[in-house]
Amino acid sequence: MRTKQSPQPRAADPGGATGEGVLDARRRRTILVTVCIALMAVIASVSGLNVAQPDLAVAFGASQSTILWIINIYTLSLAALLLPLGALGDRRGRKPMLITGLTVFGVASAVAGLAPSTEVMLAARLFSGVGAAMIMPITLAVITSTFPEEERGRAIGIWTGVAGGGGVLGMFLSAALVDVANWRWLFVLPVVLVVVALGMALRSVPDSREKSGHTFDTVGALTSVVAVVGLIFVLQEGPERGWTAPATLLGLVVGLFAAVGFVAWELRRRDAALLDVRLFGERGLAGGSITLLVVFGVQAGIFVVLFPFFQAVLGWSGLLSTLALMPMAVLMMMSSGLAPKLAARIGSRSTMATGILLAGAGLALMATFVSVDGGYLSVLPGMLAMGTGMGLSMTPSTEAITGALPRERQGVASALNDVTREFGTALGVALLGALLSAGYRNAIDSRLDGVPRGAADTAREGVANALEAANGAGSHAQALARAARESFVGGWQQAMWAGVAVMAVLFLCILTRGPLRATHLSAADTEAADSVAS
């Protein structure tokens, strides 16, 4: 049964509001811009350092494992703290939590940019994740608790477009900064965004909070942190350490045990729970969560495949490779803005199913037509279909999640939305990356006849390693390089067809158990959605 929603909260600051406490249209637009800028700072920091791994290794004299920890510790702390800090924001006030998060995130990002050692960098990235976990759920919670129902779908669509396409934009800007300056300039962008968002938030964002008769669910918060840390650790470290390594297995056991304990405890707490897990029996919450998990997993897996294809197979620079993803990101952001209008006409379930079908078709197009000689044009149609489909499916999925929890628990709803995205991303990278690697190794083994043993062993490690080994392979150089590129495409196709199968299962699930509620838009909102698309 759906939990009854509480009345829309009044703004703490009466400026810019009507006599009934509803914020005027101009101020609502300012609030939307503010939270999207804050969100962009967080999203850009998730992907930004990926383009500077070699530079970081040289600057700190660090191993690849350490560099991966510098990148992953941010995501780990962000994912682990989303639910507890989202719930605290509901209780203590969303505006104070947003201001605190922006401050912590901005200071930590500045320290990371000036870090003299690996230890300082790791600590700065850890606190950046803490600040991001304060910011991210609050940005969506502010939208759902501020905008009236008839405008909420459009606002969530814009937020979703920034969340989905912001990572690509962040990578592009980061690659440009690394090319023209150095890796330390990567932290200028998030700091600037934070300063702008902080100034706007202090002036425009109203405060809203939950008035609960229950104590804070400390046990639920702690067990959720342990569960998320354990499971994300497995997904991040499994490909690097090995899936049967002691540390990986320990993380899996701890994560699963904590997850089971969390569910059992939340069922016992019922209405006083940090997250009422009984709501997952509802179409909206279950369908929206599964869709976001799969769609973000596939998106992350696609990026794992596309970057080596652009750089190793086509020989492009990091900046050009990131620029090649921009058409997909732009279409994703545009279709996210169109999704509320489409949902109003054909329903949320049909909109989600259409998006999933388009995204699956995009994967199939890439798997069918990708080739070494076909280059970028062999994958562009699939990328465009994927971007459009993902945008259409993400917005109604996000709205289904936030609509399943009452207005005063929107910090938790938003945090659940974000945790689902982070889990999907980690899962997609781990699984599709593993399929790509396995497919590559199987394909290249049959193409190494006559290649010197040392070069052949190196070539089996990956396409980049094979191209490096080809430089010293003498008369076999050209054949080895060609074999590596063709084997990578073979691994690509295996990973893409696996993604198609997953999307087909998701499509059937949404058709049968997807959310039924449509988003109701006013005429003004329909025109606004059209303006986003144009």
Side-chain angles (χ1 to χ4, degrees):
M1 180 178 294
R2 180 183 296 275
T3 306
K4 185 178 179 181
Q5 292 192 348
S6 63
Q8 183 172 319
R10 291 178 176 269
D13 176 8
T18 68
E20 295 180 356
V22 178
L23 302 178
D24 62 34
R26 181 178 179 181
R27 188 169 173 193
R28 290 197 301 271
R29 287 193 296 268
T30 303
I31 291 169
L32 182 59
V33 171
T34 301
V35 296
C36 284
I37 292 173
L39 177 65
M40 177 64 77
V42 172
I43 297 297
S45 293
V46 172
S47 56
L49 279 187
N50 285 315
V51 303
Q53 292 188 44
D55 304 83
L56 289 170
V58 171
F60 294 121
S63 66
Q64 179 63 22
S65 177
T66 302
I67 297 304
L68 288 177
W69 265 109
I70 290 175
I71 294 171
N72 290 340
I73 197 170
Y74 173 82
T75 308
L76 191 65
S77 56
L78 166 62
L81 295 173
L82 280 168
L83 271 177
L85 293 181
L88 280 176
D90 285 336
R91 286 173 170 264
R92 304 300 182 189
R94 296 181 180 112
K95 182 173 183 176
M97 181 63 77
L98 179 61
I99 299 301
T100 303
L102 287 168
T103 303
V104 172
F105 183 84
V107 171
S109 297
V111 171
L114 301 171
S117 65
T118 304
E119 293 76 16
V120 174
M121 174 61 86
L122 284 168
R125 292 288 288 173
L126 174 66
F127 281 100
S128 292
V130 174
M134 297 180 184
I135 296 168
M136 199 167 181
I138 299 304
T139 58
L140 184 56
V142 166
I143 290 174
T144 55
S145 62
T146 301
F147 281 74
E149 185 174 354
E150 65 272 12
E151 296 183 10
R152 202 174 304 142
R154 184 182 72 89
I156 290 176
I158 294 172
W159 183 94
T160 303
V162 173
V168 179
L169 182 59
M171 282 191 290
F172 173 71
L173 295 175
S174 298
L177 286 170
V178 170
D179 276 6
V180 302
N182 63 60
W183 67 267
R184 294 189 183 274
W185 284 87
L186 294 178
F187 297 96
V188 172
L189 175 63
V191 169
V192 170
L193 291 174
V194 161
V195 170
V196 173
L198 189 58
M200 295 179 69
L202 287 169
R203 295 179 56 188
S204 64
V205 174
D207 195 14
S208 58
R209 67 189 68 204
E210 169 194 0
K211 295 179 180 178
S212 175
H214 305 289
T215 58
F216 182 72
D217 185 7
T218 305
V219 174
L222 292 176
T223 52
S224 74
V225 169
V226 175
V228 172
V229 168
L231 296 176
I232 293 287
F233 175 85
V234 170
L235 294 173
Q236 288 181 345
E237 295 297 305
E240 181 72 16
R241 297 172 181 260
W243 295 104
T244 57
T248 306
L249 293 176
L250 178 62
L252 180 61
V253 171
V254 171
L256 289 177
F257 183 79
V260 171
F262 173 75
V263 172
W265 177 259
E266 298 304 277
L267 287 172
R268 180 182 175 183
R269 291 271 297 185
R270 299 179 69 83
D271 293 337
L274 181 75
L275 172 64
D276 190 350
V277 295
R278 296 172 297 172
L279 291 173
F280 280 97
E282 204 179 80
R283 283 173 176 259
L285 190 61
S289 298
I290 293 172
T291 300
L292 286 184
L293 181 76
V294 173
V295 167
F296 270 82
V298 170
Q299 180 194 39
I302 289 299
F303 289 164
V304 168
V305 173
L306 281 174
F307 270 101
F309 178 76
F310 293 147
Q311 294 179 297
V313 176
L314 302 186
W316 291 1
S317 67
L319 180 60
L320 185 58
S321 299
T322 310
L323 182 62
L325 293 173
M326 291 303 291
M328 179 179 173
V330 169
L331 275 180
M332 188 188 308
M333 297 176 78
M334 290 173 61
S335 58
S336 293
L338 282 173
K341 175 185 174 182
L342 187 61
R345 292 180 177 176
I346 66 174
S348 296
R349 179 169 62 181
S350 297
T351 303
M352 290 168 65
T354 301
I356 293 164
L357 186 62
L358 274 173
L363 287 171
L365 285 172
M366 285 191 281
T368 302
F369 295 109
V370 63
S371 68
V372 175
D373 297 327
Y376 183 55
L377 292 180
S378 69
V379 299
L380 181 60
M383 289 171 55
L384 297 179
M386 267 216 67
T388 304
M390 291 179 64
L392 289 178
S393 60
M394 288 189 300
T395 299
S397 299
T398 297
E399 194 172 8
I401 293 174
T402 57
L405 273 75
R407 185 71 60 83
E408 69 272 11
R409 305 297 303 278
Q410 285 302 295
V412 174
S414 305
L416 175 62
N417 175 79
D418 299 331
V419 169
T420 303
R421 290 167 181 261
E422 295 299 329
F423 262 115
T425 298
L427 191 62
V429 169
L431 296 186
L432 290 184
L435 285 172
L436 172 64
S437 298
Y440 168 82
R441 286 193 298 269
N442 291 335
I444 202 169
D445 277 339
S446 62
R447 293 183 168 97
L448 294 176
D449 293 339
V451 177
R453 182 174 179 179
D457 290 342
T458 302
R460 290 186 180 93
E461 296 175 6
V463 61
N465 306 80
L467 295 177
E468 184 67 25
N471 295 328
S475 60
H476 298 283
Q478 189 172 359
L480 179 57
R482 179 75 182 183
R485 293 186 174 101
E486 290 178 348
S487 298
F488 179 86
V489 169
W492 164 306
Q493 291 172 317
Q494 179 173 307
M496 292 303 97
W497 285 121
V500 171
V502 171
M503 296 298 278
V505 173
L506 176 63
F507 177 74
L508 294 176
C509 288
I510 294 303
L511 279 184
T512 56
R513 292 291 300 170
L516 300 175
R517 184 173 61 88
T519 303
H520 299 289
L521 298 178
S522 64
D525 293 318
T526 299
E527 293 175 3
D530 285 331
S531 69
V532 171
S534 61

